[in-house]
Amino acid sequence: MTIRPDLLDVLARRALTEDSARPDAVEKLHARGGTTAREHIARIVDPGSFVEYGRFVTAAQEARRSMDELLDRTVADGIVGGVATIDGRPCAVLSYDYLVMAGTQGMRGHRKTDRLIEVIGRLRLPTVFVASGGGGRPGDTDLPLVSALDVTTFAEWAALSGRVPRIAVVDDNCFAGNAVIAGCADLIVATPRASLGMGGPAMISGGGLGDVAAADIGPLDVMIENGVVDIAVDDSEDAAEMACHLLGYFLGRSETWSAADQSVLRDLVPEHERTTFDVVPVVETLCDEESVIVLRPGFAPELCTALGRIEGRTVGILANDSRYTAGAITSDGSDKAARFLQLCDAYGFPVISLVDTPGIMVGPDAERTGLVRHASRLLVAAARIQVPFIGVILRRAYGLGAQAMLAGSTHSPLMTIAWPGATMGAMGPEGAVRLSMRAELEAITDDDEREERVRQLTEMLRANSTGLDAARYFEIDDVIDPAETRSLIAHLVEAADAGGGISGSGGAVDTW
């Protein structure tokens, strides 16, 4: 069978865009632990489903490179992207190509990215973007440019916030414009090879700030601690798997699920409020088995944020973790929770808030963090969400911190329930005693006697501040057996969704 010359030309040119056409470069990348753009995409999408845009594009450098060099060194202008399916569902996937000038953003690459972003917005395609790369590329000479600040890529990508789920993967150095692509995404997955920063080594040096190795600019441990990275994984294969898993939360209800024995919830929360405990097992027991992913676990760990499923439906979970700052609300915790609530509201995820807090953190050190503003941000974010919000008081619900965890009031959630042993109050009982009984306590001259009196009064107040007391005055809706919690949540969410009543607001999600 004879193949037409023009088809041969196309097939030959297409072959030049594949990794197999540059084995030496691929081998060098693999030797330092890297992954090519096409390898990233192949790990993410269903086999045979990828429809590529702009594979034949080359860099705008014809004035300084030969055609052979352009075809060999500037393949796809450093970005591979298109539409595909992930687990059979339509999505988009893009990856900067570290084999092409360190994955830098060229002018034609920007045009291709913009084209794909327009398609993503038009079709509302959930997207995975492998963002690693060195930022803007100053060497494109074919286009008349002064600043290139009229590039629309970042504005258009940012405008998708709340409208289209976007997962960023960072598996290498990711600086400047590439870092903005990652930062504007809904969730960021990164590996130990990642280094994220708003400027790379050249920009740092050019700014007179000294010589800094790329790996030292924004290493993974720093990005975990400061909350930039949502989930850290071991390598690029894990990153692809995690990106697909995260995207699954946004793709609708799972038809298959199983639940753990709910009776274990009765023993997961210690009776004594000064005994700390890990709240994640509570979250994992309430949700479908193997469905929970904790986000930003290394940042503001006093407030756990997690995605999971209940009877196949994606839910968001807020939970105080008493192991850190006793579960008090901090500035970082407020920001973490507020952003998470925006994410859930934008994409239609009901929220379950598991409350065990002594209140909002107090003291001069806390106030130096701008606590008034940050804590208020949590209240504003919670007050504005439209998705079902269910409050579960596990143990302590004191003061403004408890109100912040309950969207402002015990009557703001769709339902507020408490577990046996829960105590509630305008502040912690010991603090309330010391404040309200100050004169009586100051009259006791013996220190041991005074502290014993504080203990007695505190226990008396705690005994009259239980969830059952609050329920009797209808400050909360019910006190239940912990084993009933999952079923109650499932029924409430089903009622809220009658006639398709649960939908995402489409509101923008803060990057912080």
Side-chain angles (χ1 to χ4, degrees):
M1 180 178 176
T2 302
I3 300 178
R4 288 174 41 163
D6 51 2
L7 176 56
L8 280 175
D9 288 342
V10 169
L11 296 177
R13 183 70 64 85
R14 174 175 286 190
L16 292 177
T17 68
E18 300 293 335
D19 289 348
S20 57
R22 38 190 178 160
D24 293 343
V26 171
E27 183 178 354
K28 289 180 181 178
L29 183 64
H30 285 171
R32 63 181 186 85
T35 303
T36 74
R38 295 192 181 279
E39 288 170 339
H40 277 300
I41 290 172
R43 289 172 178 170
I44 293 168
V45 306
D46 297 337
S49 70
F50 184 53
V51 178
E52 186 171 351
Y53 281 61
R55 72 159 60 230
F56 295 121
V57 172
T58 57
Q61 297 187 9
E62 293 178 32
R64 50 193 295 244
R65 296 179 187 269
S66 68
M67 182 58 66
D68 286 344
E69 188 178 10
L70 287 170
L71 295 175
D72 180 51
R73 300 285 301 279
T74 73
V75 179
D77 201 23
I79 183 163
V80 180
V83 299
T85 61
I86 298 175
D87 293 332
R89 298 172 178 179
C91 297
V93 61
L94 301 91
S95 177
Y96 288 110
D97 190 347
Y98 227 87
L99 293 178
V100 176
M101 291 174 275
T104 51
Q105 297 167 325
M107 296 309 297
R108 289 178 183 157
H110 272 304
R111 289 185 62 195
K112 184 164 67 170
T113 307
D114 292 349
R115 167 73 165 147
L116 276 164
I117 291 173
E118 187 275 329
V119 171
I120 289 166
R122 187 195 311 174
L123 302 181
R124 297 293 180 97
L125 293 174
T127 301
V128 177
F129 204 138
V130 183
S132 308
R137 185 194 309 150
D140 286 0
T141 56
D142 296 350
L143 303 174
L145 295 172
V146 175
S147 68
L149 297 181
D150 56 340
V151 165
T152 61
T153 303
F154 308 116
E156 296 302 320
W157 178 244
L160 293 178
S161 178
R163 297 174 51 218
V164 176
R166 296 160 305 144
I167 313 298
V169 172
V170 182
D171 183 41
D172 213 314
N173 298 326
C174 184
F175 301 135
N178 295 66
V180 169
I181 292 295
C184 286
D186 295 303
L187 298 169
I188 299 175
V189 180
T191 74
R193 300 186 69 254
S195 181
L196 279 135
M198 290 308 299
M203 188 176 293
I204 294 170
S205 177
L209 300 176
D211 295 327
V212 181
D216 295 332
I217 292 173
L220 182 60
D221 59 342
V222 172
M223 295 297 118
I224 290 171
E225 184 178 352
N226 65 21
V228 168
V229 167
D230 292 282
I231 299 177
V233 295
D234 291 336
D235 53 39
S236 62
E237 290 188 20
D238 289 340
E241 182 179 347
M242 179 57 69
C244 295
H245 183 83
L246 290 173
L247 212 60
Y249 289 117
F250 299 86
L251 297 180
R253 198 164 185 170
S254 175
E255 297 301 320
T256 59
W257 52 268
S258 61
D261 177 6
Q262 295 299 291
S263 66
V264 302
L265 291 171
R266 296 168 179 162
D267 300 312
L268 289 182
V269 177
E271 291 184 37
H272 196 287
E273 68 175 41
R274 290 187 180 274
T275 303
T276 64
F277 70 100
D278 184 356
V279 77
V280 172
V282 176
V283 175
E284 292 176 334
T285 304
L286 281 172
C287 291
D288 298 347
E289 292 182 303
E290 306 297 327
S291 75
V292 173
I293 293 291
V294 176
L295 305 177
R296 295 183 175 184
F299 171 66
E302 64 274 8
L303 212 157
C304 173
T305 54
L307 293 174
R309 294 182 184 272
I310 291 182
E311 296 189 357
R313 184 195 299 272
T314 300
V315 296
I317 302 100
L318 288 179
N320 304 111
D321 193 327
S322 59
R323 297 176 299 168
Y324 308 95
T325 67
I329 306 296
T330 63
S331 286
D332 283 346
S334 297
D335 287 343
K336 178 180 178 179
R339 202 263 180 178
F340 181 72
L341 289 175
Q342 291 179 346
L343 180 77
C344 292
D345 189 56
Y347 296 108
F349 303 157
V351 175
I352 297 98
S353 180
L354 306 179
V355 184
D356 179 27
T357 182
I360 294 176
M361 180 63 73
V362 295
D365 289 342
E367 301 306 343
R368 289 189 188 98
T369 67
L371 183 61
V372 171
R373 289 281 191 186
H374 292 284
S376 298
R377 181 184 179 214
L378 172 54
L379 283 157
V380 170
R384 291 181 60 86
I385 68 171
Q386 301 172 20
V387 293
F389 187 106
I390 299 166
V392 182
I393 300 170
L394 302 183
R395 188 170 58 169
R396 302 162 300 158
Y398 298 141
L400 286 166
Q403 288 179 283
M405 289 294 293
L406 294 167
S409 161
T410 56
H411 285 173
S412 294
L414 180 61
M415 190 174 192
T416 299
I417 59 176
W419 284 6
T423 54
M424 302 173 62
M427 61 191 305
E430 182 176 330
V433 165
R434 292 186 184 276
L435 180 63
S436 64
M437 304 295 290
R438 178 181 297 175
E440 177 185 329
L441 293 172
E442 287 177 348
I444 303 173
T445 57
D446 183 82
D447 291 345
D448 292 339
E449 182 182 349
R450 185 189 312 112
E451 290 307 306
E452 176 61 20
R453 183 59 176 158
V454 169
R455 188 192 66 77
Q456 292 171 354
L457 292 170
T458 298
E459 289 306 313
M460 289 173 58
L461 181 58
R462 183 178 287 113
N464 292 281
S465 303
T466 67
L468 283 172
D469 293 311
R472 188 165 67 86
Y473 285 93
F474 199 51
E475 293 180 357
I476 61 175
D477 296 298
D478 202 1
V479 181
I480 68 168
D481 178 347
E484 300 172 340
T485 309
R486 174 185 163 92
S487 176
L488 181 147
I489 291 170
H491 283 102
L492 284 173
V493 172
E494 283 298 321
D497 198 28
I502 300 177
S503 62
S505 67
V509 180
D510 283 350
T511 58
W512 199 244

